[in-house]
Amino acid sequence: MNSNRVAASRPVITDPRAIALLLAASLTTMANATISPALAGLAEEFAADPNALYLTRLLVPAPSISVIVCAPLAGMAVDRIGRRSVLLLGVAIFVLAGVAGGLLPSLNAIFASRLALGVAVAFIMTAQTALIGDYFTGWQRSDMMGLQISARNFGGFAFISLAGLLATYSARWPFAIYGLAGLFLPFIWFAIVESKPMKSAGSTSSTAVAGDGIANWKPVLAAIAFLQMATSLIFFIMPTQLPFFFDAAGYSSASMTGLGLGTLTLAGGCTALLYGQLNRQIGAGGAFAAGYGAMGAGFVVLAFNGPSTALLVGTSLIGIGFAMAMPNFVAIALHIVTPNRRGLAGSILTSSVFLGQILSPFLSIPIIESFGFAALFAGVALVLAGASVTALIIAVLTALRTRREAAIAEGSSAADL
């Protein structure tokens, strides 16, 4: 058995490497949404800038631009150089670029620092995905997928809530939160060990195990990446538009946004803890159906623009649904690609997430300006309802086919006897 993998009976959370990877996962939420509560304050600070309307809203997804460009290079580095060094470099850049945003004198300079932050995120997410595939297998890998989303959401709850508090004093203070990543770096340094070297592309990796890799994985990976991009695009309406939605509804933008995004991430984090068990019970198709259904219900609640408690219920449902759907993408990708392609798979999935994030404001802002927030939320809910029904049909057909194949196999075995 590969020494890089944990024993089958050992809970994955007891492995120091898992803890280190979860700490790294929490940084990806910090990268973008942490400064959401400060957007209105930054827009006011730089009101004289003619591009302030779009630039302030693009500060949240700005790292996505760099991720899309740099993730393929990060994937090559992860597969050819090694996972550990790329991960550590990413965390170091993350600290420097993140804190810089609170000190720079212009909106353009802050935007540039956000682009540098995206380079770090590309390194971190790509290396992390490959390391999860190297270290864990089977149900432990599925459990790790859920724990990863939980780490992102619980980290997001803490970081965004703190940012909401800090933003009430100054729009610049939330950037200081990025300095917390420096506290993670020593533990990641000592806990993460390099996995066994990958063999050249096209060869069979020494770390291959049963179930890792299928023959025709490229179109499947492309379909997964596209669906993940669409899911990310829809979900990112929350950090980019929620501050302005609350402001238009008459709430205090900074504090209500911090509370709204905090409940979203907390609800998602609690749900993701159950992902491994959920996946074992209803499979990926069922998880997709339930996840998209919950997200759609959340957007319906927001479309009615009720009291603050109702709006928080809506954001919670969106977080719950996202936590049900999102872990499936990486879990499926790691199952279909061979070990020596995990860096590539990680880079493609990382790019797809952030491509959705960067496209989100460009698609949502024109709809809001032309038809309003309610129309946007209602339209998104309709799309999610269709995705939920489609996933449910696929899940039922897959279950029926599996049952039929099992019955045929059982009948053949009985005939042989």
Side-chain angles (χ1 to χ4, degrees):
M1 181 177 180
N2 188 342
S3 60
N4 283 324
R5 298 182 182 275
V6 295
S9 60
R10 183 179 177 185
V12 68
I13 194 59
T14 63
D15 193 311
R17 299 171 298 181
I19 298 173
L21 291 175
L22 294 176
L23 289 175
S26 71
L27 301 183
T28 60
T29 299
M30 189 197 300
N32 291 62
T34 294
I35 66 165
S36 291
L39 292 183
L42 289 171
E44 182 178 352
E45 179 181 346
F46 296 103
D49 190 321
N51 298 316
L53 174 64
Y54 272 88
L55 276 179
T56 51
R57 297 191 185 198
L58 285 174
L59 288 179
V60 172
S64 309
I65 300 173
S66 298
V67 170
I68 294 168
V69 174
C70 296
L73 300 177
M76 294 174 58
V78 164
D79 282 338
R80 298 183 182 184
I81 299 175
R83 285 70 153 116
R84 181 177 182 271
S85 58
V86 174
L87 178 64
L88 292 173
L89 178 61
V91 175
I93 297 174
F94 186 95
V95 175
L96 297 175
V99 173
L103 305 173
L104 295 170
S106 69
L107 195 56
N108 287 331
I110 295 174
F111 184 78
S113 73
R114 303 290 292 170
L115 294 178
L117 190 68
V119 176
V121 172
F123 289 175
I124 292 170
M125 289 190 67
T126 303
Q128 182 199 26
T129 298
L131 284 167
I132 289 174
D134 291 348
Y135 289 161
F136 311 108
T137 187
W139 296 123
Q140 291 172 330
R141 186 182 291 173
S142 295
D143 290 341
M144 192 64 184
M145 293 300 102
L147 289 172
Q148 179 178 239
I149 298 298
S150 291
R152 292 175 183 173
N153 286 14
F154 287 139
F157 174 75
F159 301 142
I160 295 170
S161 298
L162 179 58
L165 175 62
L166 294 177
T168 61
Y169 297 97
S170 170
R172 296 301 193 102
W173 284 19
F175 289 96
I177 297 175
Y178 293 101
L180 295 175
L183 302 178
F184 300 166
L185 189 56
F187 182 78
I188 296 173
W189 178 284
F190 288 107
I192 296 297
V193 295
E194 188 62 79
S195 56
K196 289 185 177 180
M198 299 294 101
K199 293 185 178 181
S200 60
S203 65
T204 302
S205 170
S206 61
T207 62
V209 295
D212 280 338
I214 62 174
N216 196 26
W217 57 268
K218 291 182 180 179
V220 179
L221 182 60
I224 292 171
F226 177 81
L227 184 58
Q228 184 177 242
M229 180 198 71
T231 305
S232 176
L233 186 155
I234 290 173
F235 180 76
F236 222 64
I237 292 172
M238 291 293 95
T240 56
Q241 302 305 331
L242 209 58
F244 304 98
F245 170 66
F246 285 142
D247 186 62
Y251 296 101
S252 171
S253 177
S255 60
M256 190 63 180
T257 299
L259 185 60
L261 293 180
T263 57
L264 178 144
T265 53
L266 181 60
C270 292
T271 302
L273 290 174
L274 304 175
Y275 169 75
Q277 182 178 354
L278 180 69
N279 183 269
R280 288 189 278 274
Q281 295 295 324
I282 62 177
F288 275 128
Y292 288 138
M295 289 181 70
F299 277 104
V300 168
V301 173
L302 293 182
F304 282 99
N305 193 12
S308 59
T309 52
L311 297 180
L312 294 178
V313 169
T315 59
S316 297
L317 286 171
I318 294 170
I320 289 170
F322 187 72
M324 289 181 181
M326 205 64 178
N328 293 299
F329 297 113
V330 176
I332 294 172
L334 290 176
H335 177 74
I336 65 173
V337 301
T338 54
N340 59 305
R341 294 293 192 182
R342 285 178 183 144
L344 173 64
S347 68
I348 291 174
L349 292 181
T350 299
S351 293
S352 73
V353 168
F354 288 94
L355 181 59
Q357 291 180 3
I358 196 62
L359 290 176
S360 184
F362 287 106
L363 294 179
S364 61
I365 290 175
I367 296 175
I368 293 169
E369 291 179 341
S370 299
F371 305 103
F373 286 102
L376 172 67
F377 295 153
V380 168
L382 185 62
V383 172
L384 288 168
S388 178
V389 171
T390 301
L392 181 60
I393 293 173
I394 294 174
V396 171
L397 293 177
T398 300
L400 291 176
R401 184 181 63 186
T402 301
R403 184 177 299 178
R404 183 171 61 252
E405 291 175 350
I408 294 174
E410 184 178 349
S412 300
S413 298
D416 292 339
L417 292 176

